[in-house]
């Protein structure tokens, strides 16, 4: 492990996974005429109930300053707090970058911070967030079945209150946290256990247009050529290299320079930014 804190966080990530695993074999059984092939008594599913979840549910755990799991884009996120030892987690909920093209009721959304919890409260909070989505999530429209739309529909305050009620706790104020990078870290990392960990980049191919199968250009616009795309990108990246502030990311530069409008509330201004 990279540090003692990483070891503690990894342990809690395992506990979260084990705590939320289905207790039955329902997803692994083959059904005929609504009856399990093997027969037997109906099993109980304490977390997911008889209906399971409206749609997929992603959980991520991040250890600052590295946000290599992109924690704000998950349904449920835990951000480890503590310098040398783990003190607890900031809890995030409602992230997701997916959207349906042409459907203005769908949008990407970063997760909201619900508050800070101690390690011994993590499992209760994870279960409370998941079961709230189980009971309040949209089961009619698949496009709106993720947790982010549930929070937008019932309101963050109501969701926050419901999670606290189900978990039997009150969130502490969110602790300050700083992420310095996002993505994979290549190379060797020395661990506190005397072991080294190596991350390698493995080249794995690319999507390319072939005669008669012009896939890539159609992803943008049928009459937009590769040369035109590259010309635009070259100009854009050239401006960024010349005009960016010290430590400024490309996204922040794009907003500051007026290339794109800032989105503060994706439910309201993603499709029609101010």
């Amino acid at each position: 492990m990279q540090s003692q804190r990483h070891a503690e966080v990894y342990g809690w990530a395992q506990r979260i996974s084990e705590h939320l695993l289905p207790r039955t074999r329902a997803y692994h059984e083959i059904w005929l005429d609504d009856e399990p092939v093997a027969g037997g008594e109906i099993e109980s599913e304490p977390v997911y109930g008889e209906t399971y979840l409206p749609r997929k549910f992603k959980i991520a755990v991040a250890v600052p300053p590295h946000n290599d799991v992109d924690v704000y884009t998950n349904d449920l996120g835990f951000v480890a707090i503590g310098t040398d030892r783990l003190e607890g987690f900031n809890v995030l909920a409602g992230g997701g970058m997916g959207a349906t093209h042409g459907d203005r009721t769908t949008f990407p959304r970063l997760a909201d911070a619900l508050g800070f919890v101690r390690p011994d409260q993590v499992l209760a909070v994870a279960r409370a967030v998941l079961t709230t989505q189980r009971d309040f999530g949209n089961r009619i429209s698949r496009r709106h079945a993720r947790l982010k739309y549930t929070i937008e529909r019932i309101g963050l305050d109501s969701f926050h209150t419901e999670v606290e009620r189900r978990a039997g706790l009150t969130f502490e104020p969110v602790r300050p946290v700083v992420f310095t990078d996002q993505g994979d870290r290549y190379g060797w990392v020395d661990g506190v256990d005397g072991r080294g960990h190596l991350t390698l980049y493995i080249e794995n191919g690319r999507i390319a247009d072939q005669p008669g199968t012009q896939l890539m250009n159609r992803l943008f616009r049928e009459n937009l050529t590769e040369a035109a795309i590259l010309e635009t990108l070259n100009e854009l990246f050239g401006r960024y290299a010349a005009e960016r502030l010290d430590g400024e990311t490309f996204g922040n530069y794009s907003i500051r320079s007026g290339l794109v409008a800032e989105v503060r509330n994706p439910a309201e201004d993603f499709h029609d930014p101010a």
Side-chain angles (χ1 to χ4, degrees):
M1 288 292 177
Q2 184 174 338
S3 68
Q4 179 61 38
R5 183 176 57 148
H6 282 79
E8 291 183 80
V9 172
Y10 178 69
W12 281 106
Q14 285 185 307
R15 292 184 186 96
I16 293 169
S17 175
E18 293 167 358
H19 185 65
L20 298 180
L21 282 175
R23 297 294 183 261
T24 70
R25 298 286 296 172
Y27 273 139
H28 306 278
E29 292 177 345
I30 300 175
W31 292 78
L32 294 175
D33 298 326
D34 295 326
E35 295 291 335
V37 172
E41 298 180 358
I42 298 177
E43 299 174 287
S44 174
E45 184 59 78
V47 176
Y48 296 93
E50 296 181 357
T51 57
Y52 283 75
L53 297 179
R55 205 179 168 193
K56 60 186 176 182
F57 191 91
K58 297 181 179 181
I59 304 175
V61 182
V63 182
H66 307 295
N67 186 17
D68 42 10
V69 296
D70 211 359
V71 68
Y72 288 94
T73 66
N74 289 267
D75 295 279
L76 175 60
F78 293 95
V79 180
I81 303 298
T83 304
D84 298 320
R85 299 296 298 267
L86 179 66
E87 299 175 12
F89 296 89
N90 284 345
V91 181
L92 314 174
M97 292 292 100
T100 301
H101 181 70
D103 186 345
R104 297 170 67 87
T105 65
T106 66
F107 45 83
R109 185 184 192 277
L110 295 179
D112 292 298
L114 301 181
F116 173 85
V117 296
R118 304 290 175 181
D120 61 356
Q121 299 172 312
V122 164
L123 299 184
V125 168
R127 180 168 179 155
V129 172
L130 186 146
T131 58
T132 300
Q133 168 63 357
R134 179 197 67 193
D135 296 341
F136 288 88
N138 190 321
R139 295 180 181 272
I140 297 176
S141 171
R142 185 176 185 274
R143 295 180 179 181
H144 305 96
R146 294 290 297 277
L147 178 60
K148 61 181 179 179
Y149 298 116
T150 302
I151 294 176
E152 287 292 342
R153 188 180 74 251
I154 69 176
L156 179 59
D157 290 341
S158 295
F159 178 80
H160 186 279
T161 300
E162 182 65 19
V163 170
E164 286 187 326
R165 184 188 69 80
R166 293 183 181 223
L169 55 79
T170 299
F171 285 110
E172 296 181 31
V174 173
R175 300 289 181 87
V177 63
V178 175
F179 286 114
T180 59
D181 58 77
Q182 178 179 321
D184 296 321
R185 290 166 284 153
Y186 299 113
W188 285 98
V189 176
D190 293 326
V192 295
D193 55 1
R195 298 179 178 180
H197 309 274
L198 177 63
T199 302
L200 296 174
Y201 172 75
I202 300 176
E203 190 170 356
N204 50 64
R206 61 186 291 267
I207 298 176
D209 284 334
Q210 300 294 333
T213 58
Q214 298 294 316
L215 171 64
M216 292 301 292
N217 285 346
R218 287 176 181 169
L219 292 177
F220 297 94
R221 195 172 66 204
E222 296 239 356
N223 62 345
L224 188 61
T225 65
E226 181 179 356
I229 295 172
L230 293 177
E231 181 181 357
T232 300
L233 291 178
N234 286 337
E235 178 184 355
L236 185 59
F237 292 149
R239 286 185 55 186
Y240 173 56
E243 301 172 7
R244 65 177 177 176
L245 304 176
D246 185 36
E248 187 175 36
T249 64
F250 182 73
N252 289 336
Y253 165 76
S254 299
I255 294 173
R256 181 177 62 82
S257 63
L259 293 172
V260 297
E262 182 177 9
V263 175
R264 292 185 175 273
N265 184 342
E268 297 179 356
D269 55 15
F270 175 73
H271 295 284
D272 293 305

